Amino acid sequence: MWKLKIAEGGPELVSLNNFIGRQHWEFDPDAGTPEEHAEVERVREEFKKNRFQKKQSADLLMRMQLRKENPCGPIPPPVKVKETEVVTEEAVITTLRRALSFYSSIQAHDGHWPAESAGPLFFLQPIVMALYITGGLNAMFSPAHQKEIIRYLYNHQNEDGGWGFHIEGHSTMFGTALSYIALRILGEGLEDGENRAMAGGQKWILDHGGLVAIPSWGKFWVTVLGVYEWSGCNPLPPEFWLLPNIFPIHPGKMLCYSRLVYMPMSCLYGKRFVGPITGLVQSLRQELYNEPYHQINWNNARSTVAKEDLYYPHPLVQDMLWGVLHHVAEPILTCWPFSMLREKALKAAIGHVRYEDENSQYLCIGSVEKVLCLIARWVEDPNSEAYKRHLARLPDNYWVAEDGLKIQSFGCQMWDAGFAIQAILSCNLNEEFGPTLRKSHDFVKASQVWQNPSGDFKAMYRHISKGAWTFSMQDHGWQVSDCTAEGLKVAILFSQMSPDLVGEKMETERFYDAVNVILSLQSSNGGFPAWEPQRAYRWLEKFNPTEFFEDTLIEREYIECTSSAVQGLALFRKFYPKHRRTGDRQ
């Protein structure tokens, strides 16, 4: 039976706050009663039966476990009000007590509320592919893990045989090809799956142009696997990391999320790395194309993308750039003496990967980047401590529910806790739910980032983080403007309450640190971006290399982040009116 573990460490793991906020699933074949096993199977079958109507899981396995661990006593019966009946204050308070009683019962012992943060159908499959390449698949994923991955992929296959970009989406080549390949790696045959689901997936791929029509991120992964060729990919030259900082298209000016995708990608592209050509890889070369593999025009394949995936078609100027890099720059850079420049660029790129690994405790900024950094470090040294530490942190990324095992972008522990706490406080039932509030206050205090990234972080294109809150937990290390603002709000609200009820308040200096982070992120137009200060020109989006995302290459301001920041700063100013008044009025 699957068990959710909270705030627990393990071999090869390092934490800055004793793993507060960590959540990961383990399989224990001896856990659970026969009745619990039967209930788990029932909810799994119920999800499968309704999977085309209700595609999002309800976290029932987590709820079953936490409610058993957190008995909250009897929950008041629901209040029923007729249409013509007046809603009384007593009825509202009873309803709030019901909600808060239930919500307290699914709080983890370290104070946060565990929850799934998944949905995209391109997080899980690259991890399966990477572990297949490194030979670590069976070591990391037991038969129980693999069974739940297979369950998840079949549960989210569309009725037309394909898989979407995310679980609610129409079928795409990206989602379908990656899911089909992952299932084949996990042992599924060409005729396997309910109603020949695998055959349906293969037919969808071939009917929509074959694997040549997969978008750029997909081309990268199937190339690394050995089912596609590097000559069919647009260049990812690591030499970009050697450009002077004043250069307008320097990768240090990119949105951090994009920067940390293309950083390890450029390491693998620069080495033209390809995994072992196994019998399965050779079979996939035959299964996924409409023509013999050796006859494919890889140059044409570079710009071939299925219409179902083409959300953002490349502008002409971008295609011209790729053409020059592919036909002119790459042949030069791979020949001596220019190949010496490539070696220098590869060292610079892998240096940035190492820095990200070490400053995020090998969590990395998100699961897309996590697996890319993992395989880049394995290619650098298959026996390295870095690779072992990456493997040890993989459980932080996956989540188990009634629909199977999926991969999260990263956890949402702090984000969810910030809003949950504000909701509870607004009910004005604090005395009744003191233990819930005290635990959540402890979590907030333990989740604030206490230090900036290590060393000369500006040279590594990082921003200050001391005083910030992340989207997930302190170990993640990446400051986010609205998460910091929401964390500041709840910390200040707790500071105005009795310590006997919610515990000791945070030190005032830590409030100041949070304010410093928020103000440092504000743009010249008054708005607030999410991760880092806005550094690049808007026209750089013309060179966004992805076909399925728009407006992802540079950081920009958001109403949501700006709203949270303004609210957090306004609340802070109410209690600390003299702090940094000069020059910060805007």
Side-chain angles (χ1 to χ4, degrees):
M1 190 168 177
W2 289 94
K3 300 290 289 183
L4 179 61
K5 303 288 186 176
I6 300 295
E8 293 187 15
E12 304 291 347
L13 292 175
V14 176
S15 176
L16 301 175
N17 67 347
N18 200 28
F19 300 101
I20 299 299
R22 185 174 190 239
Q23 50 187 30
H24 72 284
W25 290 85
E26 290 183 0
F27 183 75
D28 181 354
D30 300 320
T33 66
E35 293 76 16
E36 288 171 336
H37 284 220
E39 179 63 11
V40 168
E41 288 305 315
R42 185 190 70 78
V43 297
R44 284 172 174 165
E45 284 302 312
E46 189 72 16
F47 182 89
K48 179 182 175 183
K49 184 175 68 175
N50 298 305
R51 66 188 184 278
F52 296 126
Q53 290 75 43
K54 188 177 180 181
K55 300 189 177 185
Q56 176 61 51
S57 68
D59 265 345
L60 296 180
L61 305 193
M62 177 208 75
R63 294 186 186 199
M64 289 165 57
Q65 176 184 327
L66 291 181
R67 294 200 68 187
K68 180 181 178 182
E69 294 173 357
N70 296 329
C72 65
I75 295 177
V79 177
K80 297 181 180 180
V81 181
K82 297 178 181 178
E83 274 191 44
T84 57
E85 198 172 345
V86 175
V87 178
T88 64
E89 181 179 349
E90 181 184 0
V92 172
I93 292 174
T94 299
T95 302
L96 291 174
R97 282 198 181 99
R98 281 173 47 78
L100 296 187
S101 296
F102 169 77
Y103 205 55
S104 296
S105 75
I106 57 172
Q107 184 184 27
H109 64 76
D110 70 351
H112 83 279
W113 281 268
E116 172 190 323
S117 177
L121 281 171
F122 58 92
F123 290 168
L124 171 62
Q125 304 90 330
I127 289 181
V128 173
M129 294 162 70
L131 292 176
Y132 178 75
I133 291 166
T134 66
L137 183 66
N138 292 327
M140 281 306 300
F141 289 149
S142 69
H145 288 79
Q146 295 186 33
K147 181 179 179 181
E148 292 307 309
I149 294 172
I150 292 170
R151 183 195 310 277
Y152 179 76
L153 291 174
Y154 279 144
N155 270 334
H156 294 289
Q157 185 177 21
N158 290 331
E159 292 180 272
D160 64 1
W163 282 264
F165 182 67
H166 51 81
I167 60 174
E168 297 277 355
H170 66 267
S171 295
T172 62
M173 185 63 69
F174 192 32
T176 303
L178 292 186
S179 298
Y180 178 89
I181 290 170
L183 286 166
R184 292 285 283 121
I185 288 172
L186 293 169
E188 294 297 282
L190 298 177
E191 300 294 319
D192 284 346
E194 192 173 283
N195 298 320
R196 300 178 67 245
M198 288 296 289
Q202 182 190 31
K203 183 177 185 302
W204 194 99
I205 293 168
L206 297 176
D207 287 350
H208 291 80
L211 199 59
V212 292
I214 197 170
S216 57
W217 283 13
K219 291 182 194 297
F220 171 87
W221 272 112
V222 295
T223 299
V224 169
L225 182 64
V227 188
Y228 195 88
E229 296 294 319
W230 282 116
S231 55
C233 298
N234 284 324
L236 297 164
E239 287 75 15
F240 274 117
W241 297 100
L242 299 180
L243 292 173
N245 287 343
I246 61 172
F247 208 69
I249 60 171
H250 190 281
K253 294 180 170 65
M254 293 170 63
L255 171 68
C256 56
Y257 209 77
S258 293
R259 182 171 75 238
L260 289 163
V261 166
Y262 291 107
M263 185 188 296
M265 277 187 175
S266 71
C267 292
L268 298 173
Y269 174 84
K271 294 183 176 184
R272 297 298 195 276
F273 171 79
V274 177
I277 306 302
T278 64
L280 175 59
V281 168
Q282 291 176 330
S283 180
L284 288 168
R285 288 179 174 184
Q286 296 177 24
E287 296 168 26
L288 298 177
Y289 295 98
N290 287 313
E291 57 186 313
Y293 188 79
H294 66 279
Q295 293 181 7
I296 295 170
N297 185 326
W298 295 109
N299 185 52
N300 287 346
R302 282 192 308 112
S303 56
T304 302
V305 178
K307 62 180 176 60
E308 290 80 7
D309 296 64
L310 199 57
Y311 182 79
Y312 175 71
H314 290 171
L316 177 61
V317 64
Q318 186 181 150
D319 285 334
M320 291 173 63
L321 173 64
W322 296 134
V324 170
L325 289 174
H326 180 77
H327 293 293
V328 180
E330 277 301 309
I332 293 173
L333 289 167
T334 53
C335 293
W336 191 89
F338 300 101
S339 57
M340 296 169 63
L341 184 66
R342 171 135 301 180
E343 288 302 315
K344 183 179 180 181
L346 286 169
K347 288 179 181 178
I350 199 66
H352 284 282
V353 172
R354 291 191 198 108
Y355 189 82
E356 166 64 5
D357 288 346
E358 292 163 6
N359 279 276
S360 66
Q361 324 313 315
Y362 290 83
L363 287 163
C364 300
I365 194 172
S367 60
V368 173
E369 295 80 1
K370 161 74 178 177
V371 66
L372 288 166
C373 290
L374 177 151
I375 198 166
R377 298 304 298 273
W378 180 82
V379 171
E380 181 190 27
D381 181 359
N383 299 310
S384 66
E385 283 299 310
Y387 175 62
K388 294 174 185 176
R389 290 182 178 182
H390 264 297
L391 292 179
R393 275 294 189 180
L394 269 181
D396 291 70
N397 289 96
Y398 50 75
W399 189 263
V400 181
E402 63 269 24
D403 59 340
L405 188 154
K406 74 282 303 260
I407 296 294
Q408 308 190 93
S409 54
F410 38 67
C412 53
Q413 295 95 308
M414 183 58 212
W415 180 246
D416 288 353
F419 289 118
I421 293 164
Q422 292 177 68
I424 295 170
L425 293 177
S426 70
C427 294
N428 201 25
L429 295 171
N430 300 340
E431 295 293 334
E432 296 181 39
F433 294 93
T436 299
L437 290 170
R438 178 182 283 268
K439 286 195 296 182
S440 64
H441 189 198
D442 289 342
F443 174 73
V444 170
K445 290 186 287 187
S447 298
Q448 189 182 25
V449 178
W450 282 63
Q451 59 194 14
N452 290 322
S454 62
D456 185 2
F457 58 87
K458 290 184 179 179
M460 307 306 284
Y461 320 120
R462 287 292 299 270
H463 189 62
I464 63 170
S465 57
K466 182 182 179 182
W469 276 274
T470 74
F471 194 70
S472 53
M473 55 187 177
Q474 186 187 151
D475 283 343
H476 184 255
W478 275 91
Q479 71 288 338
V480 188
S481 61
D482 50 355
C483 297
T484 301
E486 299 301 335
L488 176 64
K489 284 161 64 177
V490 298
I492 291 174
L493 291 173
F494 276 132
S495 74
Q496 304 305 307
M497 299 173 69
S498 168
D500 294 334
L501 183 66
V502 299
E504 293 299 319
K505 72 174 185 176
M506 285 177 58
E507 298 86 350
T508 304
E509 282 296 324
R510 293 173 65 182
F511 296 160
Y512 295 167
D513 289 338
V515 169
N516 188 44
V517 171
I518 296 170
L519 290 174
S520 74
L521 291 168
Q522 187 174 27
S523 298
S524 59
N525 64 8
F528 286 81
W531 302 87
E532 296 173 320
Q534 209 282 330
R535 298 167 177 164
Y537 299 105
R538 298 281 182 179
W539 57 260
L540 282 175
E541 286 292 356
K542 293 287 185 184
F543 298 95
N544 170 19
T546 63
E547 302 85 358
F548 45 81
F549 286 132
E550 191 172 12
D551 295 337
T552 60
L553 198 60
I554 67 171
E555 184 65 279
R556 62 189 63 240
E557 300 78 23
Y558 301 96
I559 292 175
E560 175 190 348
C561 295
T562 304
S563 172
S564 288
V566 170
Q567 291 177 54
L569 293 172
L571 184 64
F572 173 82
R573 190 171 66 175
K574 177 181 177 181
F575 294 103
Y576 301 92
K578 296 182 179 181
H579 181 70
R580 286 184 63 165
R581 289 294 286 174
T582 303
D584 288 329
R585 291 177 182 272
Q586 294 183 0

